[in-house]
Amino acid sequence: MTGLTVSPSVPRKRRSNWQLLMANRLAAAGLFLFGFIALLAILAPVLPLPNPDITDQPNRLLPPLSDGHLLGTDHLGRDILARLIWGTQISLIVGISATALAAIFGSLIGLVAGYMRGATDTVLMRFVDMLMAFPYILLAIAIVAALGPGLLNALYAIAIVNIPFFARNIRGVTVSVRNREFVEAARLSGKSHPAILFTEVLPNVLPVIVITMSTTVGWMILETAGLSFLGLGAQPPTADLGSMLGQARAQLFTAPHASIIPGVMIFALVMSINLLGDGVRDVLDPRLRSGALDRPMAVTKIRRKAKPAPTIENAPSLVVEHLTTGFDDGGHLTPAVKGISFRLDKGECLGLIGESGSGKSVTALSLMGLVASPPGLITDGAVYIDGRDVLGLREQELIALRGARVSYVFQDPLTTLHPLYRVGEQVAEAILAHQAVGKSAAKTRAIALMETVGIRDAAERSRAYPHELSGGQRQRIGIAMALANDPDIIIADEPTTALDVTVQARILDLLQNLRRERGLALLLITHDFGVVAQVCDRVAVMKNGEIVEQGVTDTILRDPQHDYTKRLIACVPELGEGQRFLARVRPLFEEAGA
Ligand code: ADP
Ligand code: MG
């Protein structure tokens, strides 16, 4: 626990983009290499370099480390180091300018096409398709041939052939953004189309533009070098990396250094930019934020202060002792679950109740080491299943318990079921994960399970995709998957919160019956005392990561001790209560200053 500070009051700081980028080692290496090369190129005028264009026939093709020529000389006796640094500068300027031009025009086309749709879209995108119909390097050569060889024309050619990449990418994103509610709202408020396009749509598309730029700039430098290599770009005596390579080609065997050196520079430049570009993309993609870049480990990181007893005697199904889980953000630990203890007997249902954010889900996930690490960290406590501390098990043993002895049912099955697989296959997959049975046997069992959880025409419905089922049916599939390997314990995290009341009642009935028939222990997480009253034998009330009260459901409902419990119970409205509900609940919250 050294080096970790615990501070419950300070909210967890989000890591800045810069920190995220630096956490990606490859991107950081790319940045430093690129920074170094760019610095050399920028400093070219002030570095003590000989004139790169002065020829010196007697000293032609000197090898590297010659007197006065660190990297040797080329076929006209010019200093290679000087030409390399100046050439890098030109390659960088051309590549970056071409990227900027392509980004501006391509994005504009994409934005307008995606926003206007209709005829404008068709005309613009068919133009883009026409550009894309030619192999781009051929197209670039054709454009330079028409405009005449030269660096500026090469720049235009490279920019033009890259416009389609931007236009297509940006159009796609724009189409999905233009139908969003906030754009609709802007339209309703009377904003003009250009205003909407630039103040509402553009900021949402900007990350995609930056990502496309950062991932194509290396490519464009390479294309520029290619044109110069063919003699269509930089014209003598000016050199860029491509023309240096092209001119040294004739001496490839007699003086290989003259071509290897610019070749290595092109490689280093393009690779560093691509590594950096990939890193920038990862940082800017909001889906990869908040820890996704850290690649979560298979099991939550466990660093317990004290080693608990590895086994306990005569234990019920599940015993949780002083479980403490927090989120570690670079040396800063924010606790989410603070030393909670509870137990669950065989065949019993324990309700874990508390408001949103009180740490219920973190508790549930901690039991099987499923909290994503980083940032998750279990700092204390033990979880005994059949008397064995699972947090002390080896990783593979713990993973083998998941889904077999202990299984989970989550809140929203639409997000936990795979959208592209039929539900029957997904139930079968849950069976195959732990049992050595054949595919068809697993399928037959899957259908039987679906019947068990009350899905009518199970054989037929097993061929449906998740989106073709109702919310209640989807949750039944979730329960069927949880039952797939005859677990002893089911942890249901708000299994009915996404459902309407009548479906909720049926799902709770189902869980209740399964529990009785199979002797399952059920940990039911909810924020609704109505649900607890209906199914749970005992209840634990959670607040701010602590259990403030636990006991037999009836006792607690009749005589709650803790203020928080009283308020939670008061929040269950009764049918036909009407305005009286507010009159009854309000004073409780005013008292508590909530
Ligand atoms: P709930 O009781 O609604 O299920 P949770 O257990 O999901 O609440 O969350 C408990 C606390 O832990 C919250 O304050 C939440 O902000 C925090 N938390 C949950 N997941 C993470 C995470 N991945 N990183 C940082 N904090 C988290
Ligand atoms: Mg939750």
Side-chain angles (χ1 to χ4, degrees):
M1 279 300 300
T2 45
L4 280 179
T5 51
V6 181
S7 69
S9 52
V10 184
R12 205 171 82 91
K13 261 194 302 172
R14 273 177 70 152
R15 286 199 284 172
S16 67
N17 285 346
W18 175 254
Q19 284 169 318
L20 278 174
L21 188 67
M22 287 299 104
N24 180 342
R25 275 195 216 129
L26 283 177
L31 179 67
F32 285 120
L33 186 55
F34 175 70
F36 177 69
I37 296 174
L39 194 70
L40 276 184
I42 292 169
L43 292 181
V46 296
L47 289 175
L49 293 171
N51 186 326
D53 298 332
I54 288 187
T55 58
D56 178 14
Q57 287 293 349
N59 284 326
R60 52 199 298 272
L61 295 176
L62 289 181
L65 302 178
S66 308
D67 222 11
H69 301 287
L70 193 59
L71 294 180
T73 56
D74 70 357
H75 63 294
L76 296 177
R78 296 172 295 194
D79 183 63
I80 291 186
L81 181 63
R83 288 179 73 72
L84 184 74
I85 293 180
W86 281 101
T88 304
Q89 188 187 56
I90 292 174
S91 287
L92 272 176
I93 293 175
V94 174
I96 292 174
S97 314
T99 309
L101 279 182
I104 293 172
F105 288 102
S107 306
L108 215 56
I109 293 175
L111 274 170
V112 172
Y115 183 76
M116 301 304 284
R117 306 297 305 270
T120 321
D121 187 19
T122 312
V123 171
L124 285 174
M125 292 326 284
R126 290 307 80 79
F127 163 71
V128 166
D129 286 346
M130 250 165 52
L131 282 183
M132 284 193 106
F134 302 96
Y136 47 78
I137 200 75
L138 283 187
L139 184 61
I141 292 174
I143 295 173
V144 185
L147 298 176
L151 254 185
L152 199 62
N153 291 341
L155 190 162
Y156 293 147
I158 300 294
I160 291 173
V161 299
N162 278 291
I163 282 179
F165 290 107
F166 285 90
R168 296 206 75 97
N169 267 341
I170 306 308
R171 175 186 174 273
V173 187
T174 308
V175 168
S176 69
V177 167
R178 80 184 282 270
N179 293 328
R180 299 273 296 280
E181 288 78 359
F182 66 91
V183 176
E184 219 96 284
R187 223 171 273 152
L188 287 176
S189 76
K191 266 191 171 181
S192 67
H193 285 307
I196 295 176
L197 197 54
F198 288 106
T199 60
E200 308 286 339
V201 178
L202 182 61
N204 285 285
V205 173
L206 208 52
V208 182
I209 299 179
V210 176
I211 288 166
T212 316
M213 283 176 79
S214 66
T215 47
T216 49
V217 61
W219 189 231
M220 292 204 210
I221 288 176
L222 210 54
E223 287 170 1
T224 319
L227 285 183
S228 292
F229 180 81
L230 298 173
L232 296 170
Q235 298 300 310
T238 315
D240 74 350
L241 295 173
S243 63
M244 284 179 74
L245 201 58
Q247 288 164 9
R249 193 172 28 162
Q251 296 87 36
L252 189 58
F253 292 105
T254 49
H257 70 278
S259 33
I260 288 177
I261 290 169
V264 167
M265 181 56 109
I266 293 177
F267 173 74
L269 190 59
V270 173
M271 193 187 63
S272 67
I273 290 179
N274 284 350
L275 288 178
L276 177 62
D278 285 350
V280 168
R281 183 204 51 213
D282 290 353
V283 167
L284 287 183
D285 189 333
R287 283 166 303 185
L288 297 177
R289 283 237 180 164
S290 70
L293 285 177
D294 299 323
R295 270 194 238 141
M297 308 190 302
V299 172
T300 310
K301 210 189 305 174
I302 301 170
R303 250 193 280 155
R304 292 183 286 188
K305 282 177 245 170
K307 277 267 170 294
T311 53
I312 50 175
E313 300 288 315
N314 304 327
S317 285
L318 172 72
V319 177
V320 175
E321 266 175 17
H322 208 259
L323 179 68
T324 310
T325 306
F327 294 96
D328 174 12
D329 181 26
H332 200 89
L333 190 72
T334 312
V337 173
K338 306 169 189 166
I340 65 171
S341 307
F342 60 86
R343 52 176 44 217
L344 182 61
D345 280 313
K346 196 167 177 319
E348 186 190 36
C349 174
L350 172 71
L352 191 60
I353 186 169
E355 65 196 359
S356 169
S358 54
K360 307 182 297 292
S361 295
V362 175
T363 305
L365 294 173
S366 298
L367 301 183
M368 283 283 108
L370 283 167
V371 180
S373 275
L377 179 66
I378 296 177
T379 55
D380 200 10
V383 175
Y384 296 100
I385 288 176
D386 293 332
R388 239 180 2 148
D389 175 28
V390 295
L391 297 183
L393 292 181
R394 272 181 289 126
E395 193 170 299
Q396 287 311 318
E397 292 176 310
L398 180 53
I399 291 173
L401 284 183
R402 292 176 183 165
R405 307 296 306 280
V406 181
S407 58
Y408 283 85
V409 178
F410 290 104
Q411 174 173 349
D412 183 3
L414 195 54
T415 55
T416 43
L417 290 175
H418 197 302
L420 301 183
Y421 286 101
R422 300 171 198 278
V423 292
E425 292 169 7
Q426 302 194 47
V427 180
E429 195 188 7
I431 298 169
L432 290 170
H434 290 281
Q435 296 174 34
V437 293
K439 268 222 163 108
S440 61
K443 233 174 208 158
T444 318
R445 264 220 69 202
I447 293 172
L449 276 170
M450 286 172 64
E451 271 162 6
T452 314
V453 296
I455 292 181
R456 251 170 280 153
D457 300 328
E460 200 238 69
R461 297 312 281 160
S462 73
R463 285 192 294 277
Y465 290 98
H467 71 269
E468 294 172 330
L469 301 178
S470 71
Q473 281 174 322
R474 278 199 291 267
Q475 195 53 292
R476 284 173 198 268
I477 297 291
I479 295 172
M481 289 172 76
L483 291 176
N485 298 298
D486 280 320
D488 304 325
I489 302 171
I490 289 191
I491 299 172
D493 191 350
E494 315 229 18
T496 57
T497 306
L499 306 174
D500 64 57
V501 202
T502 48
V503 182
Q504 165 170 320
R506 274 186 236 132
I507 295 286
L508 290 177
D509 271 348
L510 170 65
L511 283 174
Q512 199 65 319
N513 291 337
L514 289 171
R515 180 162 72 87
R516 289 208 194 93
E517 284 162 20
R518 301 180 172 225
L520 282 167
L522 179 62
L523 178 62
L524 184 69
I525 295 175
T526 174
H527 58 254
D528 184 351
F529 242 114
V531 170
V532 169
Q534 196 179 335
V535 289
C536 294
D537 308 315
R538 283 187 310 115
V539 58
V541 183
M542 216 171 157
K543 181 176 192 249
N544 283 339
E546 286 166 29
I547 290 184
V548 293
E549 181 168 6
Q550 61 177 317
V552 177
T553 309
D554 285 339
T555 321
I556 291 204
L557 276 178
R558 235 181 301 116
D559 183 22
Q561 298 300 312
H562 199 276
D563 270 351
Y564 182 68
T565 317
K566 287 181 196 160
R567 276 182 276 150
L568 277 180
I569 292 173
C571 285
V572 183
E574 277 164 35
L575 216 52
E577 200 179 13
Q579 287 291 330
R580 266 180 298 140
F581 173 67
L582 289 179
R584 176 167 66 82
V585 169
R586 199 175 286 132
L588 282 168
F589 284 82
E590 276 162 6
E591 260 170 50

